[in-house]
Amino acid sequence: MAESSKRTLFDKIWNSHVVDTLPDGTCVLYIDRHIIHEVTTPQAFEGLRAAHRPVRRPEATIAVVDHNIPTTDRSQGIDEPDSRLQIETFEANVAEFGVPYFPYTDPRQGIVHVIGPEQGMSLPGMTIVCGDSHTSTHGAMGALAFGIGTSEVEHVLATQTMLQKPSRNMRITVDGQVGPGVSGKDLILAIIGQIGAAGGTGHVIEYAGEAIRALDMAGRMTVCNMSIEAGARAGLIAPDEKTYAYIKGRPHAPHGEAFEQALAWWRTLPSDEGALYDREVHLDAATIAPMVTWGTSPEDVLAITGRVPLLESAADGAAREALARKFDYMGITPGTPLAEIGVDVVFIGSCTNSRIEDIRAAAAIARGRKVAPGVRALVVPGSGLVKQQAESEGLDRILTEAGFSWREAGCSMCIGMNPDKVAPGERCASTSNRNFEGRQGPGARTHLLSPAMAAAAAITGHLTDVREFL
Amino acid sequence: MQPFTKLTGVAAALPISNVDTDKIIPARFLKIITRAGLGKGLFDPLRYRPDGSEEPGFVLNREPYRHAKILIAHENFGCGSSREHAPWALMDFGISCVIAPSFGDIFFNNSMKNGLLPIRLPREICDLLMADAAQGDNARLTIDLHAQVVVRPNGEEIHFEMDPLRKHLLLNGLDDIGQTLQHAPAIDRYETARQAAQPWFPTTTLTDPAP
Ligand code: SF4
């Protein structure tokens, strides 16, 4: 068999979705699942209306609100006028175009990247898009999933396809087993630290190796979620028995005979032995410690046992200036041990870490302990169903007794678009995915870490090695 | 979409790498239902002080760069979110070309769908163009998309790579949807064949009970 006939997971999904190929190699790529939310769609629906175009396949589309909505009681509606307008516009649009919608009062409502897999709408071998860069999350199901802009949202609504050229293949293999206290979040932060925030640009990353296989589905979603933080538009993990067990019985997944048919196809998807990748990266899981970011790019990341870098570590004048700006923005002194950095706010949530497994990890640390005085800590489940599940396990009680605030599902403090914000100059230990300047609110300082690490920081009041709690 | 053919104007240098989309246009500006008016929030964290006054040191607050039509930056410009508000904000401010060694993938695509031309050139060339830009009003750059060249103030022409399909769409101001709808019969055929071969592919009906 010729080497070229061996295909990667990405190649297989891509090839099975090519509708047509243009002379220059651009493909018309069929899209199986389109998830839409309030922020990146109003202009797309406006475009459809102006051109008198319908939504080609409303039944392949699912609408939900997540970015703007408050996470406190919303039975009385939305206070903020601009958020309310955006949500009302969205609701009018999905009604007009006949797109299925989970309103914010529905328990199935949640963050776009939590509800897709949870509902069985995101399945192996699918192409999935959403007007949100963290769509890469769904790649954990063995799907090709990527974020798109508003023009592309309009394009998919109108044509159920994308115009795109294939990406390059990259494989990141994490060999061996992780130590205690090390989660999927630590793996992906370590990966970004190694390849950099642009390391995956132009590529689709396939995550492989023993440590990836050992992750549960939530951990795999966390890893794929932050592919975009490494510059890759999509990340994926080959489906296996864990994937199939996760899918089985979910409301929108195939059932009975249809499930068996689907399963037979899913089993053909993993990359062929000997398939070629344009780039290969290897990490040793045993060397990865709990990680935390210190700067304003996800690549500014170190083990919790480390120290803030020194100015002298900069390669040249421009890099030095950039580094000085990061120190200034973050309000940190070069050389400080990371574990000595105090926090004002702790946020456990976002499409990266708001699944039931994440909340269990946080509750395991919080159980019988108290949030440090002066620290504001909140836990925001990724969907109404995650919230229900956590409550049925009593996790909400453990967390609220420890002093955490327990909220309704939404994007919350991941993005400064709803009432949950970090105040200027405040420092937040956050399980979200971006530590950019101003991401959690103007002047907000963000340290990214895992749910267990975030819970530990809430208890001690400073960044903390969670292994001290185990 | 506005066609992009030839552009001559003041270029502003932003010698920063990893300029993310939250820096280009923070999330709080995204709560709009049109595309207009985003220019006022462009680069808000860099352009304004916490009290709302202008940061005098920032390049777009200085003459002649207030009127910049071209921006030159370092690696990975536009990384981060998928918000198309980033190119909308740049365009609304008056910038319709960004030159950098590399771009965030989604920003790159979004830009071209709005008539904003992202040009990839090596870091050394970007630094050279930044030096040109430092000469201010006396140093205008010209971008000729048809010829695929950036023309420096001294007349030197620098070639850049461009995807032929994107070039065609940009030069003619065509939107992708019209292009794709020419393939509607192929899309129909694909859907029919797939439905026959893999009927289990799910659809969404909201009659499904919550689990
Ligand atoms: S949780 Fe944050 S990153 Fe995820 S979809 Fe919401 S805003 Fe985007």
Side-chain angles (χ1 to χ4, degrees):
Chain A
M1 194 192 254
E3 209 53 32
S4 60
S5 67
K6 300 188 173 169
R7 297 181 303 160
T8 64
L9 170 59
F10 166 75
D11 298 337
K12 293 181 193 185
I13 302 177
W14 181 275
N15 292 345
S16 65
H17 287 82
V18 173
V19 169
D20 228 341
T21 308
L22 278 54
D24 75 332
T26 301
C27 294
V28 180
L29 189 74
Y30 195 75
I31 301 301
D32 297 318
R33 175 65 71 196
H34 188 189
I35 311 176
I36 60 173
H37 64 85
E38 74 276 21
V39 179
T40 55
T41 52
Q43 300 83 358
F45 281 111
E46 200 47 53
L48 289 183
R49 236 186 320 268
H52 304 290
R53 288 175 177 142
V55 173
R56 183 179 171 98
R57 281 195 68 201
E59 74 280 9
T61 315
I62 177 69
V64 72
V65 286
D66 56 1
H67 283 62
N68 271 351
I69 48 167
T71 58
T72 47
D73 176 30
R74 44 206 190 207
S75 56
Q76 305 307 313
I78 312 287
D79 270 346
E80 293 183 321
D82 44 4
S83 295
R84 190 171 60 233
L85 176 63
Q86 211 169 43
I87 290 167
E88 284 170 358
T89 305
F90 186 68
E91 292 183 333
N93 283 331
V94 297
E96 179 184 340
F97 287 88
V99 176
Y101 171 56
F102 292 152
Y104 58 81
T105 47
D106 188 309
R108 295 170 295 179
Q109 177 269 342
I111 305 172
V112 277
H113 312 311
V114 173
I115 68 153
E118 181 175 84
Q119 289 293 322
M121 291 175 177
S122 308
L123 299 172
M126 274 188 158
T127 49
I128 302 169
V129 297
C130 170
D132 187 285
S133 58
H134 293 99
T135 309
S136 57
T137 312
H138 309 252
M141 307 300 301
L144 175 60
F146 43 81
I148 56 178
T150 299
S151 296
E152 290 170 319
V153 169
E154 184 182 341
H155 190 278
V156 175
L157 288 172
T159 70
Q160 205 57 40
T161 67
M162 297 260 303
L163 277 183
Q164 207 158 311
K165 284 193 171 156
S167 308
R168 288 188 293 273
N169 278 293
M170 174 168 177
R171 180 164 61 185
I172 298 182
T173 308
V174 190
D175 293 310
Q177 293 171 7
V178 297
V182 177
S183 69
K185 183 64 161 281
D186 303 297
L187 293 187
I188 188 63
L189 286 172
I191 288 168
I192 297 165
Q194 177 157 335
I195 71 172
T201 304
H203 291 78
V204 160
I205 301 177
E206 180 177 343
Y207 301 94
E210 187 185 352
I212 299 291
R213 297 252 74 87
L215 291 171
D216 57 23
M217 292 310 292
R220 294 180 186 186
M221 288 185 225
T222 303
V223 169
C224 288
N225 174 275
M226 291 189 71
S227 301
I228 185 72
E229 266 61 64
R233 215 171 166 187
L236 26 75
I237 295 175
D240 60 10
E241 297 309 317
K242 273 187 201 169
T243 320
Y244 312 138
Y246 174 93
I247 293 166
K248 197 162 191 173
R250 298 207 171 250
H252 292 268
H255 290 272
E257 178 56 24
F259 183 84
E260 297 307 321
Q261 285 173 9
L263 189 60
W265 184 60
W266 295 339
R267 289 193 195 281
T268 68
L269 291 172
S271 299
D272 299 332
E273 189 90 27
L276 290 179
Y277 292 83
D278 300 285
R279 199 175 154 204
E280 295 254 23
V281 174
H282 286 268
L283 278 85
D284 176 5
T287 63
I288 298 173
M291 305 291 285
V292 61
T293 63
W294 54 265
T296 53
S297 164
E299 69 184 19
D300 302 335
V301 67
L302 288 168
I304 179 67
T305 48
R307 290 166 180 268
V308 177
L310 300 174
L311 213 44
E312 293 71 49
S313 65
D316 56 33
R320 209 183 152 93
E321 217 171 288
L323 201 53
R325 182 177 167 97
K326 286 176 199 260
F327 293 150
D328 181 49
Y329 182 86
M330 290 300 291
I332 46 173
T333 315
T336 310
L338 293 173
E340 284 177 14
I341 296 175
V343 299
D344 308 298
V345 185
V346 171
F347 169 56
I348 298 172
S350 89
C351 57
T352 317
N353 282 123
S354 63
R355 297 176 183 83
I356 188 66
E357 293 83 350
D358 301 313
I359 294 172
R360 286 181 193 138
I365 301 298
R367 183 189 295 271
R369 300 192 169 102
K370 289 279 179 229
V371 170
V375 173
R376 182 160 60 104
L378 64 161
V379 182
V380 187
S383 72
L385 294 176
V386 170
K387 179 166 189 264
Q388 282 179 359
Q389 176 65 28
E391 289 172 354
S392 76
E393 296 178 20
L395 304 179
D396 60 319
R397 270 206 342 275
I398 294 172
L399 290 162
T400 49
E401 275 165 18
F404 288 85
S405 166
W406 178 246
R407 299 297 184 85
E408 302 291 332
C411 293
S412 184
M413 209 178 255
C414 172
I415 189 164
M417 294 197 73
N418 57 71
D420 302 336
K421 286 188 191 63
V422 179
E426 272 189 335
R427 188 179 301 287
C428 180
S430 175
T431 66
S432 55
N433 44 51
R434 289 197 171 128
N435 53 351
F436 298 157
E437 285 182 30
R439 171 74 180 187
Q440 295 189 290
R445 295 163 170 161
T446 305
H447 297 274
L448 302 174
L449 33 52
S450 74
M453 285 279 286
I459 305 299
T460 61
H462 56 83
L463 299 178
T464 300
D465 191 336
V466 68
R467 292 172 296 190
E468 292 164 18
F469 281 72
L470 301 177
Chain B
M1 182 176 84
Q2 202 124 302
F4 187 110
T5 48
K6 202 170 190 178
L7 172 75
T8 297
V10 170
L14 193 65
I16 311 178
S17 51
N18 294 325
V19 173
D20 57 71
T21 51
D22 280 81
K23 215 172 252 160
I24 299 173
I25 184 86
R28 64 182 186 281
F29 293 100
L30 312 189
K31 297 205 261 185
I32 54 164
I33 55 171
T34 65
R35 296 167 200 237
L38 284 165
K40 64 176 189 313
L42 178 71
F43 292 125
D44 179 272
L46 302 170
R47 213 162 126 208
Y48 302 102
R49 296 174 174 151
D51 67 2
S53 64
E54 281 188 359
E55 169 60 58
F58 184 62
V59 62
L60 297 183
N61 289 333
R62 300 201 312 260
E63 293 296 344
Y65 306 107
R66 281 181 190 281
H67 312 287
K69 292 183 178 168
I70 300 161
L71 191 70
I72 312 162
H74 280 162
E75 285 80 2
N76 206 20
F77 184 88
C79 63
S81 89
S82 66
R83 61 189 69 163
E84 202 156 315
H85 310 69
W88 295 340
L90 286 159
M91 295 284 285
D92 192 54
F93 180 88
I95 292 172
S96 43
C97 173
V98 181
I99 304 174
S102 59
F103 291 88
D105 285 340
I106 309 180
F107 174 84
F108 192 83
N109 287 337
N110 283 344
S111 294
M112 288 189 292
K113 295 188 176 170
N114 289 277
L116 188 156
L117 178 65
I119 297 179
R120 290 193 191 103
L121 285 172
R123 169 77 178 249
E124 315 82 74
I125 308 268
C126 290
D127 285 338
L128 208 63
L129 295 174
M130 285 190 190
D132 287 342
Q135 298 170 38
D137 228 352
N138 303 324
R140 292 168 175 249
L141 298 182
T142 294
I143 316 292
D144 184 340
L145 177 56
H146 188 74
Q148 289 181 231
V149 289
V150 177
V151 188
R152 295 180 62 197
N154 66 6
E156 187 198 344
E157 295 190 347
I158 298 168
H159 175 80
F160 60 87
E161 292 299 322
M162 188 70 202
D163 181 285
L165 173 68
R166 286 290 146 209
K167 178 176 173 178
H168 169 75
L169 295 173
L170 271 169
L171 281 173
N172 296 290
L174 299 175
D175 87 342
D176 286 26
I177 299 180
Q179 165 78 36
T180 301
L181 286 176
Q182 295 172 11
H183 300 265
I187 303 173
D188 292 340
R189 279 197 301 278
Y190 182 89
E191 283 179 342
T192 311
R194 230 273 295 276
Q195 177 61 30
Q198 295 176 306
W200 51 266
F201 256 93
T203 54
T204 314
T205 51
L206 291 186
T207 49
D208 300 283

